[in-house]
Amino acid sequence: MRPQNNSGRKEMQSLVKQNLHSETEGDINKLINLKLNASYTYLALGMYFDRDDVALPSFSSFFLARSLKEREQAEKLLEYQNMRGGQILLQTIAKPSREDWRSGLDAMSFSLEYQKSLNTCILDVHCRASGHTDPHLCDFLEQHFLSDSHDTIKKLGDYISSLTRLTVSDTHGSMGEYLFDKHTL
């Protein structure tokens, strides 16, 4: 007999689901929602730097590209969940924790910490998948997520180092940020 959902209808069981533990299925859903949240946060960052009173177009483009990358990764996870026979459970996307940044350096520092927390979540899912002997999910995460995450963390760290050196002067800090926007991003 098939399980019933809250509406009294019988739920269909996936015919293709194999070796997808319920915990890792839940972890994939959590990761999907984290990636959608990240896309929304980076979108907010990108639009902040596009404002007329901020006007740093390369910062804007950098964060908008990151937003697109996070959304594409969420879509990859959605497709993966369907391919493995898992059930997709989307959650509400929360408003970004911040809407205003003092500077490009502040935004890059925020992004670095945010990216590190996303990387930790990916590593947690990888660890659990490994514990449930799911090499397919481990390989998928390694191929599509871990390299990009580490590359992004490195790039953000490099940008922060450069921005810190350029903006250390109180009198010329804004000029340093402007030049970074024009020539680095």
Side-chain angles (χ1 to χ4, degrees):
M1 185 164 165
R2 295 191 176 194
Q4 291 188 348
N5 63 18
N6 292 340
S7 64
R9 294 187 325 224
K10 291 182 181 180
E11 285 188 25
M12 298 294 296
Q13 293 291 335
S14 173
L15 299 174
V16 299
K17 189 173 187 177
Q18 178 185 14
N19 193 35
L20 182 64
H21 194 276
S22 60
E23 285 181 339
T24 51
E25 182 180 351
D27 286 344
I28 294 168
N29 280 319
K30 179 182 175 190
L31 203 50
I32 289 167
N33 287 292
L34 286 171
K35 288 292 185 177
L36 289 171
N37 237 324
S39 177
Y40 194 42
T41 299
Y42 284 123
L43 177 63
L45 270 159
M47 296 316 296
Y48 171 81
F49 286 101
D50 189 50
R51 289 178 11 189
D52 67 330
D53 61 332
V54 179
L56 292 170
S58 295
F59 275 93
S60 177
S61 295
F62 174 79
F63 288 118
L64 291 175
R66 197 68 231 159
S67 173
L68 179 62
K69 182 72 173 180
E70 295 293 341
R71 193 186 82 229
E72 288 170 349
Q73 288 183 345
E75 290 172 6
K76 261 187 194 150
L77 285 162
L78 288 161
E79 291 166 3
Y80 182 83
Q81 187 81 302
N82 278 339
M83 191 240 338
R84 290 290 304 270
Q87 184 177 356
I88 295 170
L89 299 172
L90 296 175
Q91 301 296 316
T92 302
I93 303 299
K95 157 184 167 172
S97 60
R98 292 180 61 185
E99 294 178 11
D100 201 14
W101 287 268
R102 293 182 304 271
S103 64
L105 179 58
D106 183 38
M108 289 288 180
S109 297
F110 169 83
S111 297
L112 177 60
E113 292 309 311
Y114 193 68
Q115 198 65 41
K116 283 180 178 178
S117 71
L118 289 172
N119 188 59
T120 298
C121 292
I122 295 166
L123 291 170
D124 290 346
V125 174
H126 187 282
C127 183
R128 183 156 357 208
S130 180
H132 289 300
T133 319
D134 189 343
H136 192 267
L137 178 54
C138 291
D139 183 58
F140 177 78
L141 293 172
E142 289 166 13
Q143 267 191 336
H144 299 287
F145 297 91
L146 288 174
S147 292
D148 176 68
S149 185
H150 289 273
D151 291 347
T152 302
I153 289 168
K154 170 71 168 118
K155 184 185 289 186
L156 287 166
D158 290 350
Y159 287 166
I160 289 167
S161 294
S162 296
L163 267 171
T164 301
R165 284 191 300 277
L166 287 169
T167 60
V168 74
S169 166
D170 288 335
T171 56
H172 300 296
S174 296
M175 178 57 78
E177 190 171 73
Y178 170 81
L179 291 172
F180 182 87
D181 181 77
K182 286 292 182 202
H183 299 289
T184 303
L185 290 176

